[in-house]
Amino acid sequence: MTSLLTVEGLTKAYPGVVANDRVSFDIAEGEVHALLGENGAGKSTLVKMIYGLVQPDAGRMTLRGAPYAPPEPSAARAAGVAMVFQHFSLFDALDVAENIALGMETPPPMRRLAARIREVSETYGLPLNPDRLVGDLSAGERQRVEIIRCLLQDPRLLIMDEPTSVLTPQEVDILFATLRKLAAEGTAILYISHKLEEIRTLCDRATILRLGKVVDSCNPREKTAAELAEMMVGAKLTAPARGGGTPGDVVLEVSGLSLPSSTPFGTSLRDISFTVRAGEILGIGGVAGNGQDELLAALSGEAQVAPDAVNLKGQPIGALGPSPRRRIAVLAAPEERLGHAAAPDMSLTENALLTAAIREGLAARGFLKWPAARAFAEKVIEAFDVRTPGPGNAARSLSGGNLQKFVIGREVLQRPEVLVVNQPTWGVDASAAASIRQALLDLAQSGTAVIVISQDLDELMEISDRFAALNEGRLSPPRPAQGLTLEEIGLMMGGAHDMEVAHVAE
Amino acid sequence: MDFGAINPVVLIASLMVASTPILLAAIGELVVEKSGVLNLGVEGMMITGAICGFAIAVETGSPALGFLAAMLGGAVLSLVFGVLTQVLMSNQVATGLALTLFGLGLSALIGQGYVGIKPPATDRLDLGPLSEIPVLGRILFSHDLIVYLSLALVAGVWAFLRYTRAGLILRAVGENHDAAHALGYHVVRIRLAAIAFGGACAGLGGAYLSLVRVPQWTEGMTAGAGWIALAIVVFASWRAGRVLLGAYLFGGVAVLQLNLQAAGLAVPVELLSASPYLVTILVLVIMSADRGRAAVAAPASLGRVFHAST
């Protein structure tokens, strides 16, 4: 196979960090090439340079034998490079055809474009209605818009940045069939993911980045997922240990919980019912945007619902706000670290005060007890191995993994009866993720009812006792997690929706 | 009371003249806000346009040159706002308010020597036999060029946003500037162009006040017209057609209440004076009552600072 894109010595430095340090690798025509690495390893910077969004400080690229240095994305598109973004590239208030036209260099008139969208989307088994508003689409359908936008330009190289993070297992299968068909037609695919099993099934070759440097390359089919993970992290990983124990009495009971969406493109919760027992972890999976944020809001008290929709040990608490719920030990850690779970520009001490003032007695008669607050913040830092110079540092200055350990630890140390967490390890490095999962398991072991909302199915299978899935604001009946197959989980998450396998017509 | 003195034909013809300044400012601000920028300096740009146009028209004797100078003055002032908010990333609300105060002060300074002067008259457009048609001719075909230009602008902006690629890109930038940047569009450049267009429109609207509607220069003569234009854009759910409706409604009620005051209607004058504001806001609020759709029409990046972090 001939080389399509060669990257030699690419370097890009930002103030204080070298994002890419002399990165070299090459991609052959028709090859599916994986780019592996933890968050912060420099994968995004690298593909942004290939797509012309960022200019390298040093190094050069060659595309089909000719020097290649795109000054902006339109030049990259003209050279046959297309990119599917992880996020940030669709416009909610515009329709599908308009979104696609924006990603093309010379789009045909709207009516012809709509016809082309229908035609291409049917060929690849990704049906799309060009007239619908993107804001009304499901996460899986939005992904299709991005992919169709790329396919309409007949790319030679397709870059995909974490494309499966929002898909059900069935949708992933169909996406892979589409990608294999594309590769068979000669298109090279640069595939970024941290889902190791997916890379093992799909990719021909893998380049591994760590701290901005290429540390290894391999054929992922010849490695185990554990070996790949160790190559990424550069250290041995220990899987969380779960203690056997029988759950106690029902602590939290949710029955008939409904909550209309507060924003035009949000999801309404519909008739959600479940129970959680003391010492049990209930895992709630589902594709992003199916009501996860709304469910967390209803359980934490940010959104108030009918009083008897949420019951703590038989007492109705649905109409209580966050502070009264904290007082009775119902705690929550939301998804967005910077801005929702923590105030970015406030110190760790102040952030500790914000949720722990009531339960830890950090305020009296409206005045703050600074020494006690600092001591509590230090306790969290110590117990959860948060790497920071001290509790006076701003939350924003911590890395994602360290701040997440602080945010979870802050709630865990308040001895909750019920703890609800949303995406506890999203964007967190592997070792921090492992210690957060261990902390949640230990918390359940000590008798707390834990609800983990996450889109990472591997994580949910690893720690939860029972599993349920959110789909369009409805919750499937919870089932014991042990023995569930990926197939069954996918169906609980809504299956393949209306996708179909690509018509591979050779 | 003597309602017989109110001639509906004259009333409609004069409401078009009364509404034109607000219509011009509002249609410009619509484009600015569609690109995701909230410029609260409309009032300041209008009054700067009013004095620039007035001064140049008086000095040169040509209203046409005056209108051009007003557009230029409004655009230059708006670019001060543009550079501050887009390049130096200052807060849009605070900068817009400062622009209004700055414009009011600057215009008072320039206008010191122009108080009490009469500007050269702006001719009506000669449409020949068309303006001879009874009723319709008086209402539709006996205005000056700017009235027709403002209507053409509304239609042009509507078509631009709906049918052209440049309009699509402008809407995309206002909807999600991060995504537009990721696709390789020049967010700052597009916004600066929109801001300059909005400034020129506001300046033209201001000059129409000082050269045609009043016509003379007094300090602070825009008297809140810029704020009304801002409110109309929001209550019109960012749609060109509704901006026209809102502006004409406001102008219409303003003219009507003056006529009613003259006719001696037994309603407190204060209430009549307030009526254009009340009626316009009430009607547009009712029209945008479908909150879901109205929220969709609002540009999602409106007022947010854009920083290309990559």
Side-chain angles (χ1 to χ4, degrees):
Chain A
M1 272 197 268
T2 50
S3 172
L4 177 75
L5 175 75
T6 313
V7 172
E8 285 170 279
L10 226 50
T11 299
K12 177 73 189 176
Y14 289 113
V17 60
V18 180
N20 275 182
D21 187 1
R22 281 161 289 161
V23 171
S24 303
F25 71 103
D26 63 284
I27 305 167
E29 279 179 28
E31 179 187 43
V32 186
H33 192 114
L35 209 50
L36 261 176
E38 294 219 81
N39 287 292
K43 297 169 302 194
S44 294
T45 307
L46 180 57
V47 295
K48 277 176 184 163
M49 287 193 282
I50 298 175
Y51 193 58
L53 269 171
V54 172
Q55 307 312 313
D57 296 336
R60 59 200 180 95
M61 294 183 275
T62 318
L63 187 72
R64 280 190 278 184
Y68 171 68
E72 55 180 19
S74 61
R77 287 197 288 263
V81 177
M83 180 157 166
V84 173
F85 293 87
Q86 186 181 6
H87 34 222
F88 300 141
S89 91
L90 290 179
F91 306 91
D92 281 349
L94 305 184
D95 68 31
V96 169
E98 287 174 328
N99 265 282
I100 288 175
L102 281 166
M104 296 175 74
E105 277 320 293
T106 48
M110 276 299 174
R111 198 166 305 163
R112 281 245 309 285
L113 180 64
R116 283 273 290 147
I117 291 168
R118 278 183 212 279
E119 180 193 325
V120 171
S121 65
E122 307 257 308
T123 316
Y124 286 95
L126 311 162
L128 263 185
N129 178 352
D131 302 324
R132 286 185 65 193
L133 276 190
V134 163
D136 294 333
L137 300 182
S138 73
E141 288 170 315
R142 292 160 150 259
Q143 186 93 64
R144 283 181 231 170
V145 178
E146 295 246 25
I147 294 170
I148 298 292
R149 174 152 80 185
C150 292
L151 294 184
L152 278 173
Q153 303 176 72
D154 297 320
R156 304 304 307 152
L157 173 64
L158 178 61
I159 304 170
M160 305 198 79
D161 193 354
E162 306 249 2
T164 61
S165 57
V166 295
L167 300 181
T168 68
Q170 279 81 356
E171 287 171 327
V172 170
D173 285 345
I174 292 165
L175 174 66
F176 282 10
T178 305
L179 294 181
R180 288 201 188 93
K181 175 171 153 67
L182 271 177
E185 290 166 359
T187 304
I189 295 164
L190 184 58
Y191 190 87
I192 301 174
S193 179
H194 58 257
K195 296 193 177 170
L196 303 168
E197 286 301 338
E198 287 180 0
I199 284 178
R200 291 187 60 235
T201 48
L202 182 69
C203 298
D204 306 313
R205 215 147 47 105
T207 296
I208 292 131
L209 287 175
R210 195 192 309 149
L211 300 176
K213 291 194 175 109
V214 173
V215 290
D216 216 338
S217 73
C218 65
N219 179 345
R221 299 205 172 101
E222 294 165 357
K223 301 277 182 186
T224 66
E227 282 170 330
L228 289 174
E230 277 162 27
M231 288 163 86
M232 259 166 65
V233 180
K236 281 242 173 243
L237 286 174
T238 42
R242 52 201 295 175
T246 44
D249 296 332
V250 170
V251 177
L252 187 77
E253 184 184 3
V254 174
S255 58
L257 168 66
S258 294
L259 178 67
S261 163
S262 55
T263 57
F265 296 130
T267 310
S268 300
L269 296 180
R270 298 188 178 103
D271 196 22
I272 287 179
S273 300
F274 63 86
T275 59
V276 198
R277 291 168 179 277
E280 180 188 47
I281 297 184
L282 173 68
I284 295 181
V287 173
N290 272 298
Q292 283 90 342
D293 296 344
E294 289 80 1
L295 181 60
L296 181 111
L299 293 177
S300 71
E302 280 175 62
Q304 272 124 54
V305 293
D308 55 356
V310 184
N311 295 286
L312 179 75
K313 294 180 177 166
Q315 297 296 315
I317 62 166
L320 300 183
S323 291
R325 289 200 201 185
R326 284 199 185 110
R327 197 163 285 126
I328 53 172
V330 178
L331 305 181
E335 166 182 18
E336 177 68 35
R337 282 187 288 277
L338 292 171
H340 196 174
D345 292 315
M346 293 174 90
S347 71
L348 294 180
T349 305
E350 287 166 323
N351 271 298
L353 259 171
L354 286 176
T355 75
I358 294 170
R359 286 191 65 72
E360 296 295 311
L362 304 181
R365 291 190 208 91
F367 287 92
L368 303 176
K369 295 186 189 166
W370 284 109
R374 199 167 303 116
F376 179 67
E378 271 162 6
K379 196 169 130 193
V380 175
I381 291 170
E382 160 104 30
F384 284 83
D385 188 26
V386 179
R387 310 275 165 82
T388 173
N393 279 59
R396 188 190 289 286
S397 68
L398 271 65
S399 75
N402 279 313
L403 183 55
Q404 190 69 33
K405 282 196 277 190
F406 182 83
V407 165
I408 300 277
R410 178 180 67 179
E411 308 304 328
V412 167
L413 289 188
Q414 292 180 49
R415 299 157 278 109
E417 292 230 33
V418 176
L419 178 64
V420 189
V421 294
N422 189 6
Q423 297 275 65
T425 61
W426 180 81
V428 163
D429 58 277
S431 56
S435 70
I436 288 171
R437 287 174 196 152
Q438 188 64 57
L440 292 173
L441 282 168
D442 294 346
L443 183 69
Q445 188 74 18
S446 69
T448 301
V450 182
I451 298 170
V452 180
I453 305 171
S454 176
Q455 285 154 47
D456 185 342
L457 292 179
D458 299 336
E459 168 173 277
L460 291 177
M461 288 306 102
E462 198 169 283
I463 62 174
S464 44
D465 299 300
R466 285 187 304 148
F467 175 85
L470 271 172
N471 183 22
E472 290 174 4
R474 291 190 176 82
L475 191 74
S476 72
R479 294 168 62 173
Q482 228 130 33
L484 270 186
T485 64
L486 215 52
E487 172 90 34
E488 289 168 317
I489 293 169
L491 289 176
M492 289 168 83
M493 288 164 64
H497 294 103
D498 56 344
M499 286 164 82
E500 43 191 309
V501 181
H503 309 298
V504 187
E506 240 51 29
Chain B
M1 277 191 284
D2 178 18
F3 292 115
I6 301 175
N7 178 349
V9 173
V10 176
L11 186 77
I12 295 176
S14 56
L15 88 79
M16 289 177 72
V17 173
S19 310
T20 297
I22 294 169
L23 178 62
L24 281 165
I27 201 71
E29 180 67 10
L30 173 80
V31 171
V32 178
E33 292 195 11
K34 268 291 181 189
S35 80
V37 178
L38 182 65
N39 185 353
L40 293 183
V42 182
E43 178 83 3
M45 300 185 302
M46 274 186 93
I47 197 139
T48 305
I51 187 57
C52 288
F54 190 85
I56 297 297
V58 166
E59 300 299 337
T60 64
S62 154
L65 282 180
F67 284 121
L68 281 178
M71 290 169 71
L72 190 69
V76 167
L77 191 67
S78 72
L79 282 176
V80 172
F81 170 87
V83 169
L84 284 171
T85 58
Q86 301 307 307
V87 181
L88 303 175
M89 283 179 270
S90 68
N91 180 293
Q92 293 183 4
V93 171
T95 313
L97 291 173
L99 194 74
T100 286
L101 296 174
F102 177 68
L104 287 169
L106 183 72
S107 63
L109 180 70
I110 301 175
Q112 273 181 343
Y114 293 96
V115 180
I117 299 179
K118 204 174 154 44
T122 308
D123 293 332
R124 283 183 183 168
L125 207 59
D126 186 14
L127 291 169
L130 278 178
S131 44
E132 306 294 317
I133 307 172
V135 184
L136 267 187
R138 177 75 187 87
I139 294 177
L140 290 179
F141 302 113
S142 58
H143 294 289
D144 52 79
L145 183 65
I146 306 294
V147 171
Y148 301 115
L149 181 69
S150 70
L151 291 171
L153 261 179
V154 173
V157 164
W158 174 78
F160 170 78
L161 289 175
R162 194 181 168 93
Y163 292 115
T164 68
R165 179 158 173 82
L168 175 62
I169 293 171
L170 182 97
R171 283 189 287 146
V173 166
E175 176 61 26
N176 184 344
H177 49 216
D178 293 315
H181 174 73
L183 290 174
Y185 296 110
H186 303 283
V187 175
V188 171
R189 217 178 287 172
I190 291 164
R191 285 186 170 166
L192 283 176
I195 290 169
F197 174 80
C201 285
L204 187 62
Y208 192 78
L209 265 180
S210 63
L211 289 177
V212 180
R213 174 124 161 78
V214 177
Q216 61 172 352
W217 167 252
T218 39
E219 212 178 295
M221 67 181 300
T222 45
W227 297 110
I228 280 292
L230 267 168
I232 284 176
V233 173
V234 175
F235 288 118
S237 316
W238 294 270
R239 287 190 215 167
R242 288 190 183 184
V243 163
L244 178 68
L245 176 85
Y248 273 27
L249 194 66
F250 181 82
V253 179
V255 171
L256 182 68
Q257 65 94 5
L258 281 178
N259 279 303
L260 289 175
Q261 279 188 36
L265 185 68
V267 169
V269 173
E270 290 80 5
L271 195 63
L272 278 177
S273 305
S275 60
Y277 302 89
L278 294 174
V279 170
T280 308
I281 301 232
L282 201 68
V283 168
L284 291 171
V285 164
I286 292 168
M287 283 179 68
S288 58
D290 182 2
R291 280 200 52 232
R293 286 295 114 181
V296 169
S301 291
L302 185 62
R304 281 172 46 212
V305 172
F306 170 71
H307 175 58
S309 57
T310 45

